[in-house]
Amino acid sequence: MASERPVLMIPGPIEYSDAVLEANALHGTSHVDPSFIKTFGDTLKQVRDVFLADDGQPFVVAGSGSLGWDMITANCTLPGDHAVIVNTGYFGDRWGDVFAAYGVTSSHVRGEVGGVPSVEAIDAALKAAVAEGRTVRIVTITHVDTSTGVRTDIKSIVQAVRAVVPDAIVACDGVCALAAEELRMKEWDVDAYLTGSQKAIGVPPGLSLVVARPRAIAAYEANLAKSGDGGIRNYYCSWQKWIPIMQSYEAYKPCYFATPAVNLINALHASLNEVLAGGMDKCFADHKATADTFRSAMSDLGLKLVPVSEGIAANTMSAVRYPSGVEATKLLPAIKKHGAIVAGGLHKDIKSEYFRVGHMGVTARQADKAYVNRTIAAVRAALEDCGYSK
C-alpha cells in the first residue's frame, strides 16, 4: 500500500490482500471456461468449510449481502407467516422491512441501544407469539450489527428458540461477522446464514453468500410444493433456479441461469484460501486479538464504546463514542489526514455520538498489526488536533 494513501478502516468495504486484487484483475474469462468451472466448484466447497456446515447448500450469487434477506425470506416463508426478529440495531429493522414486503408479519425483541435482548426476553416473545396463535416460521438474528458494533450470542439464542418453536427456521445476518466471529453453523443448529463479500470475507462488493441447511431447504421444498406452477415468489432469488446451478458447478459441470460474477468468484477463491490457511479457530482468534489491541488503545485514550459491555462488543469492528467537546465534523477528517479512513455513526438514535472502525479480514491477519496500529496512531493524532487530552 502506498504510504500516502490512507488505509481504509471502515466496517466494509475493507482493504484487500494482494492475492485477492490480482485474482479480481484477471483477464475476461468465460463462465463456462474449464478453469473457471474448477475455481467455482472449489470455492463452493470452501464456503462450507468457512461456515462450518458440511451439510449446507451454499449459494454464491451476484448481489450485495442484502440480497440474502430476500433469498431466505422468499424461499423459507409464506404470506401470513410470523417472524421474530432479535433486533440489535439498524439491520434488524431492515430485515423487518423485507418481511413486510413478502407479507410476513414480524415482532421485534429489542435491547437498549448498544445492548442485546436477554435470552429471557426472547423466550417470552416466542411464547407470546405462539399464545397469540401465530405461526412462528422464522427467527432472525444479526450476528454483528454494523450500526452498533454489538455481537449476539447465536448459540444461546438458538437453544432458546428450539425450546419453544423447535421447527422454526433460525436465520442469521452475518454480513459483518462471517470469517471473523465464531460461527459453528451445523453444531449450533443454525438453519440459514447470509453474508456479503466486502467485509471479513475480504473481496470487493458484489457477491451475496448464503448457506442453507436441511431445515431451511425442507421449508423451501414445502413452500414450492404449495405454490404450484407459480413457483417461489421471487424470480432471481428462487432456489428452484439456483440449486441446480450451484450443484452443477460443484460437480465441475457448467450450468446457466444468470451469468456468475467471474472475477469476483476468482477473488473469493483467493480470499478463502487465506481465510482457511490456518483453520477457522485461528481466524476467530486473530480477530479477537486484533479487536483487543484496538479497544485497549481506545480505552487508554479515555474513549468509550457504544456496546454496553466488552463481552458483547464485536471483534470485526468497534463503535467508539466521541469524547466530550470533540465534533465528528472535525475528528473524522483529521483521522483521514493522519492516515486512516473511518466511518461516522449509523444508528438513528445516536448517529452523531460515535464513529466506527473496522478491523477485520486482512487487517486482522497481519502479524505486525500494521493497519490497526496506523489507525490507532491516526486517532490519537486527530484527537490532539481537536484539542482533546485524556
Side-chain angles (χ1 to χ4, degrees):
M1 186 184 69
S3 59
E4 65 272 10
R5 182 173 73 85
V7 63
L8 183 62
M9 295 293 286
I10 66 174
I14 65 170
E15 292 284 347
Y16 308 118
S17 73
D18 289 343
V20 167
L21 292 172
E22 289 167 6
N24 196 49
L26 289 174
H27 57 77
T29 304
S30 168
H31 57 290
V32 296
D33 186 273
S35 65
F36 176 70
I37 293 169
K38 175 68 163 59
T39 295
F40 199 179
D42 289 347
T43 301
L44 290 167
K45 291 176 172 65
Q46 288 176 311
V47 168
R48 282 198 188 87
D49 292 339
V50 172
F51 283 71
L52 294 177
D54 60 14
D55 61 348
Q57 172 60 58
F59 300 89
V60 178
V61 177
S64 73
S66 301
L67 183 68
W69 292 330
D70 273 271
M71 186 172 276
I72 293 169
T73 304
N75 288 282
C76 295
T77 69
L78 291 172
D81 285 344
H82 188 71
V84 173
I85 300 169
V86 180
N87 192 317
T88 52
Y90 179 87
F91 293 94
D93 293 341
R94 290 280 298 276
W95 207 334
D97 294 341
V98 174
F99 285 134
Y102 282 90
V104 175
T105 61
S106 63
S107 53
H108 295 255
V109 191
R110 303 178 189 270
E112 62 181 302
V113 176
V116 297
S118 67
V119 171
E120 292 76 16
I122 296 166
D123 176 80
L126 292 168
K127 288 176 178 175
V130 171
E132 292 167 2
R134 297 183 183 275
T135 301
V136 180
R137 186 73 61 199
I138 188 167
V139 178
T140 66
I141 310 163
T142 307
H143 198 167
V144 169
D145 197 295
T146 320
S147 72
T148 57
V150 165
R151 182 184 72 249
T152 52
D153 180 354
I154 289 176
K155 182 179 180 180
S156 295
I157 294 172
V158 174
Q159 291 171 347
V161 172
R162 297 291 173 235
V164 181
V165 280
D167 296 326
I169 303 300
V170 177
C172 297
D173 176 343
V175 170
C176 196
L178 188 80
E181 302 289 358
E182 184 177 5
L183 170 70
R184 303 183 188 278
M185 190 175 177
K186 180 180 179 181
E187 180 183 328
W188 294 352
D189 199 21
V190 176
D191 300 306
Y193 193 102
L194 69 95
T195 194
S197 56
Q198 75 277 12
K199 298 197 185 230
I201 288 289
V203 173
L207 291 178
S208 180
L209 286 73
V210 173
V211 168
R213 291 189 53 252
R215 191 181 283 107
I217 295 295
Y220 147 74
E221 290 172 343
N223 290 348
L224 187 63
K226 292 176 183 177
S227 64
D229 294 336
I232 295 298
R233 295 166 292 153
N234 184 305
Y235 182 78
Y236 184 71
C237 290
S238 173
W239 288 346
Q240 189 176 14
K241 305 290 195 306
W242 286 114
I243 288 176
I245 304 298
M246 299 299 131
Q247 291 179 343
S248 292
Y249 272 102
E250 193 169 359
Y252 302 112
K253 299 175 183 177
C255 193
Y256 179 73
F257 166 55
T259 305
V262 174
N263 284 45
L264 286 174
I265 290 169
N266 287 334
L268 178 62
H269 181 56
S271 180
L272 296 187
N273 283 338
E274 296 174 341
V275 170
L276 290 165
M280 291 311 298
D281 285 341
K282 183 178 186 304
C283 180
F284 303 148
D286 286 346
H287 281 82
K288 185 179 187 308
T290 303
D292 288 347
T293 295
F294 182 78
R295 286 199 278 267
S296 176
M298 295 301 101
S299 178
D300 289 345
L301 289 169
L303 305 186
K304 299 183 183 300
L305 302 178
V306 170
V308 295
S309 70
E310 184 73 21
I312 61 170
N315 293 317
T316 49
M317 62 164 290
S318 293
V320 185
R321 291 188 178 275
Y322 296 116
S324 178
V326 175
E327 299 175 6
T329 54
K330 294 181 180 178
L331 183 63
L332 299 192
I335 294 173
K336 182 177 181 180
K337 181 185 74 173
H338 288 289
I341 299 172
V342 302
L346 180 61
H347 194 289
K348 60 183 176 61
D349 293 341
I350 56 170
K351 189 172 183 178
S352 63
E353 298 176 15
Y354 70 110
F355 63 99
R356 297 174 298 140
V357 180
H359 32 72
M360 65 189 96
V362 65
T363 297
R365 289 195 294 273
Q366 290 178 316
D368 63 359
K369 299 288 184 277
Y371 291 167
V372 164
N373 289 332
R374 185 174 173 184
T375 304
I376 292 168
V379 172
R380 183 183 295 113
L383 287 169
E384 291 174 359
D385 287 354
C386 293
Y388 169 82
S389 61
K390 181 180 174 181

